[in-house]
Amino acid sequence: MGTSTEVTFFKNKKARVSTKLLIDVPLLITVIILVIIGLLILYSASWNYALQHKGSSTYMVSRQAVWIFISSIAAVILTMIDYHFLKQTATLILAGTCALLLIVLFMPSSIQGTTRTVLSGSVQPSELAKIALVIYLAHWLSKKQESLATLYWGFIPVIVIIGVTGGLILVQPDVSATITVVFLGGIMFFVAGGNIKHIGAIVLLAIFMIFCGYFLFDKVSTRIDDFVNGLTDPAQASYHIQRSIEAILRGGWAGVGIGKGVVKLTGLPVAWTDSIYAVILEETGLIGGTLIAVLYLILLWRGFSIAVNAPDNFGKLLAAGITLWITIEAAINIGVMLNIVPFAGNALPFISFGGSSMLCTMAGIGILMSISRCTAIDTLENERTTPDAFISLRRRDWGWRISSLGRHSRKK
């Protein structure tokens, strides 16, 4: 039983309302469906590799199930805690993440030729960096709202925050995570009301990092060259993309059936992580692939609804940032498999194999649920209703919108 609050309904009738389970049910159902689909597809994509290299066909799916269990506990805990505690810990979270990114450089565990993990591959700090940056920027941007349009107190600090975090990831090298971090930071700065010229400079920073990566790392230049060549002639695309296209063509409209795909067995690289969407398209076809995309769009809708209705600017920016982070990851992964964007190593949230990715993503969902719950409690306590619809966070003149949406809400 939860704590209760009295709410006056129509005709002054009163009812006792539990406030501990006031969460976004459509978002919860969407995440559950994605996780269940993920386990099913993961087993199909990994059983052969797991049997040959780990001695058990269920090795990888079992590990993923353990991480889902741990991540779900973390999500539940975060749901039940007031999200405002992240204000006090935002600096510590980002500083700790940067420390881990530095440790990676001195005590690394290699993954596919890059130094991205510590503790024998158990922790991947670049995944933690994404949610850590969202939390810190939500805190900093909401606190500095009045000075965001200035050069010295708005743009330069944001560039330093994004640049340091992205730079530590870039030297691993993990260019795809670097671009995600810079892009995400730029969008949050835009949503918060940053100067449009300064946002353009952040875009230039992202381009500069890609430029550096192209000339510093052979893997990056190869991926970009393969992408450009593949646009003109699919036969000139990278081997990875060629196998992905083969899986898509085999799947057709309805797919060959779950577990019956063959491209994953005949050379599709890392079918259980980066390429898992290609497995989905082969085994469930365009119908199954579209369903997955729709689920992420529902997540985007519910996340933005939570952002719009949040009781304060910190909650609005935090919810918007987490939602954008998860959907950007999904969009990049899907886009790579369809050869729409250059190859990147972004995981497909809730579906790809990976403990760090699952834990961080589920933590993000827990924070979204906490914001939803606190909004509902705030609504009940103030005897008001909140429209459940998406509203732009910026006005048509590119000015600040979040503060106006929350003008009737209490400051946390």
Side-chain angles (χ1 to χ4, degrees), residues 84 91 111 174 238 247 259 288 394:
H84 291 95
T91 302
I111 290 183
D174 189 347
S238 68
R394 298 181 66 102

Side-chain angles (χ1 to χ4, degrees), residues 87 91 136-155 157-158 161 189 192-195 313-314 317 400:
K87 278 188 174 183
T91 302
Y136 185 81
L137 282 179
H139 167 59
W140 191 87
L141 291 171
S142 63
K143 184 179 179 181
K144 303 292 184 179
Q145 178 185 340
E146 300 301 325
S147 57
L148 289 182
T150 65
L151 177 65
Y152 294 105
W153 300 108
F155 172 69
V158 167
I161 294 167
F189 187 50
N195 188 302
N313 290 336
F314 173 65
L317 285 170
W400 179 250

